[in-house]
Amino acid sequence: MEIFQIQIPTNLVFGKGTQHQIGGLVKPLAKKVLLHYGGGTVKKLGLYDDTKKSLIAAGIDFVELGGVQPNPRLSLVYEGIELCKKEGVDFILAIGGGSTIDSAKAIAVGVCHDGDVWDIFDDKSQITAALPVATILTIPAAGSEMSVSAVVTNEEKGRKYGMSSDFIRPVISIVNPEFFTSLPKSQLGYGVADIMSHIFERYFTHTVNCDITDGLCESILKTVMKNAIVAAEDPTNYEAWAEIGLGGIIAHNNWLGIGRSQCWGCHGMEHELSAYNDVAHGAGLAVLTPAWMKYVYKENINMFVQFAVNVMGVQGSFRDPDAIILEGISRLQDFYKKIGLPQTLNELNIPESAFEDMAKKATGAFFGEEHGVGNFKRLKWQDVVEIYKLCK
């Protein structure tokens, strides 16, 4: 186990009706709030009205900025930064899923940054301050409601990059799983694939003696998969959604990654799919993850046997570990299919002619500075092309 340090100051408020608490929770922390959200979903859910009523009752002044899209756009981030500066906003409240929360985080950093906020994503300029961010979650998936991460798409340059800093971990997050019960099956699938990938990126490691976090990863993977099947069959099942929602939070607040090296290869490869064709992040991960597993498992056969046996329930002779591993990967693909997720890049309208450019962008080779992608096996652009080919 490696040396680690973790501090998670988020005030997590979880359960039915908790959205009504937002005004009282924000009151001691803010003078003027930016209310940030996406489209009409928050209004259909009644969450927009609930939030405004709670803020007004608490005597909190606020301005609004809607219009967040999946794979949140840099152009709206710029608009939010200017609005916050003009209106003297000192706190941001994001209502929505990971895209809205990530957009809010980028705005929070941009308000406090002297230069172009895109520099922080592009060349990893240091984050030295950010406005505090609170969230009310509507989609369990990205885990941004309790993480130090945010991802934004620069639509002009066709690039999707992330940033990470303790400055952008939300100070308050409200999670009411009642709002998840109206999600379409596609959103269930995308969210579950994203949650599972956040665990996989931490779980598959060469670090040894990580029994506690190994067990946590395996338990949460099995719990999320079990309840995803329940929610797919009965979308109104509050308890199933509560398990998925809590799993999504723990998957990405980094409790599962402490003391172990992490990979993040699948995320790096998937960001290029989203940048190329605006692919839903979870859909791209569902296609890429089994192919990545097939390509890299021989780097640490024991780790993948452990996954196949402990998570996917495979039984067989340990004298034939390859068969155990490939059966585990096959069962994962079957699970993804069962909850309505795509299986190929063809289904995502990603042509083979785009593979090389995407691979070179993912690894930095396109920009003349190849750094590779992923840590379980450091992938060069040629490796990434081969993984994309496995997904055709």
Side-chain angles (χ1 to χ4, degrees), residues 51-213:
T51 303
K52 287 182 65 174
K53 288 176 183 177
S54 186
L55 294 176
I56 291 168
I60 299 170
D61 192 15
F62 61 91
V63 293
E64 302 179 30
L65 179 63
V68 180
Q69 301 176 54
N71 298 315
R73 301 327 196 243
L74 181 64
S75 56
L76 189 66
V77 169
Y78 285 149
E79 187 178 339
I81 292 168
E82 292 305 312
L83 179 61
C84 288
K85 289 180 176 180
K86 177 183 176 181
E87 295 289 339
V89 165
D90 61 356
F91 193 98
I92 302 179
L93 173 57
I95 313 175
S99 294
T100 299
I101 298 169
D102 284 4
S103 181
K105 289 177 176 180
I107 293 168
V109 170
V111 172
C112 301
H113 184 63
D114 289 336
D116 186 342
V117 71
W118 180 248
D119 292 341
I120 292 169
F121 292 93
D122 194 11
D123 62 19
K124 307 305 178 188
S125 296
Q126 187 175 3
I127 298 173
T128 58
L131 297 183
V133 174
T135 80
I136 305 177
L137 188 68
T138 59
I139 303 173
S144 194
E145 63 274 11
M146 208 172 178
S147 81
V148 297
S149 304
V151 179
V152 166
T153 297
N154 184 328
E155 60 269 49
E156 290 188 2
K157 295 184 177 181
R159 292 158 78 178
K160 181 179 178 181
Y161 287 169
M163 65 175 176
S164 182
S165 169
D166 280 317
F167 283 109
I168 59 172
R169 196 190 293 274
V171 296
I172 301 164
S173 281
I174 289 179
V175 180
N176 178 357
E178 289 177 301
F179 293 122
F180 308 159
T181 60
S182 62
L183 290 170
K185 186 176 180 179
S186 60
Q187 288 290 350
L188 166 68
Y190 300 157
V192 166
D194 199 4
I195 291 167
M196 292 177 66
S197 184
H198 288 155
I199 302 174
F200 289 148
E201 301 284 21
R202 295 171 167 92
Y203 178 69
F204 289 106
T205 182
H206 296 292
T207 308
V208 296
N209 300 320
C210 297
D211 293 353
I212 288 176
T213 46

Side-chain angles (χ1 to χ4, degrees), residues 370-389:
E370 183 166 18
H371 46 69
V373 64
N375 292 314
F376 188 83
K377 174 181 171 64
R378 199 67 178 169
L379 303 169
K380 297 182 178 180
W381 72 263
Q382 295 93 338
D383 296 309
V384 176
V385 168
E386 292 306 311
I387 291 172
Y388 287 153
K389 286 181 178 179

Side-chain angles (χ1 to χ4, degrees), residues 8-30:
I8 305 178
T10 307
N11 180 7
L12 175 64
V13 185
F14 191 103
K16 295 180 179 181
T18 49
Q19 74 275 13
H20 299 294
Q21 299 181 34
I22 190 63
L25 292 168
V26 170
K27 178 67 174 176
L29 305 175

